[in-house]
Amino acid sequence: MRVLPVGDRALLVEVASGDEAQALHAELLRRRAEGSLTVGEIVPAARTVLLDGLADPARLASELTATELPPAPPRAREVIDLPVRYDGPDLADVAAHWGVPEQEVARIHAATEFRVAFCGFAPGFGYLTGLPERYDVPRRATPRTAVPDGAVALAGRYTGVYPRSSPGGWQLIGTTDAVLWDHARVPAALLSPGTRVRFVPVGHS
């Protein structure tokens, strides 16, 4: 674990893996809930956790580096089902990369339970893990200037759903009508770190 100061009131904690980042995030949330940690924001990423709004960052940095983190507790959250049509323009490329027929890409993806590792890129966008490492796929050599909202996509070890139209270089394998970000909803984001997600095939695949 490496703890880096960020400005006067924040720390960036670097760890070795995504699992360790999730465990650290869970432990920091637990400490805040019990009142032993006063912090404004706790923001997980792939292998880091940012803590902002700290009164004494230096003291906390010393405590963290001397702490052995427990494993992340199991999440008791319900699973969010996202309906998906496996009709993406990159489905054939992903199938070729995996060495399977196109319909097998849909079957493998839909049979996987995902978990939101962290959020970012755009409001409502979650980086979902769950596929085995052998199904990693590269980003497109040339990103698209506009990916439609609701596009279900793969890049590296992650699955994501574009909450709004934006440029992007992920491999598009499907489409969902689920609303990932809604200002009128509380919370506005459908997905948050730790959320369990399943993709449920609908329509033509």
Side-chain angles (χ1 to χ4, degrees), residues 4-199:
L4 304 172
V6 180
D8 296 328
R9 293 172 53 82
L11 294 173
L12 184 69
V13 186
E14 296 181 345
V15 292
S17 68
D19 288 344
E20 288 187 19
Q22 291 180 40
L24 175 61
H25 181 237
E27 173 65 10
L28 294 171
L29 290 177
R30 185 192 66 77
R31 293 184 186 185
R32 182 168 67 178
E34 73 177 14
S36 63
L37 173 64
T38 301
V39 60
E41 298 287 339
I42 304 174
V43 184
R47 291 186 176 88
T48 63
V49 179
L50 175 70
L51 297 97
D52 194 13
L54 297 168
D56 191 351
R59 180 180 63 81
L60 180 59
S62 297
E63 291 178 5
L64 288 175
T65 53
T67 298
E68 184 173 340
L69 289 175
R75 297 279 181 167
R77 301 180 183 210
E78 295 181 3
V79 178
I80 292 180
D81 288 341
L82 298 181
V84 58
R85 297 179 297 278
Y86 286 98
D87 57 1
D90 300 323
L91 190 63
D93 289 342
V94 172
H97 187 76
W98 288 3
V100 300
E102 289 183 30
Q103 62 268 27
E104 184 68 1
V105 172
R107 189 199 66 76
I108 292 168
H109 193 260
T112 302
E113 182 177 288
F114 294 89
R115 176 174 291 185
V116 181
F118 58 97
C119 296
F121 168 64
F125 188 94
Y127 290 77
L128 281 62
T129 58
L131 285 172
E133 186 177 349
R134 65 181 178 276
Y135 295 127
D136 286 8
V137 296
R139 294 170 182 259
R140 288 174 53 83
T142 304
R144 292 180 170 89
T145 56
V147 174
D149 63 286
V152 178
L154 307 178
R157 60 182 293 225
Y158 298 110
T159 290
V161 180
Y162 283 77
R164 65 186 184 198
S165 178
S166 63
W170 289 36
Q171 306 282 356
L172 308 185
I173 64 168
T175 311
T176 181
D177 294 326
V179 178
L180 278 293
W181 181 265
D182 182 354
H183 288 286
R185 184 171 57 202
V186 180
L190 180 63
L191 306 180
S192 59
T195 301
R196 296 160 59 204
V197 178
R198 280 190 310 236
F199 292 90

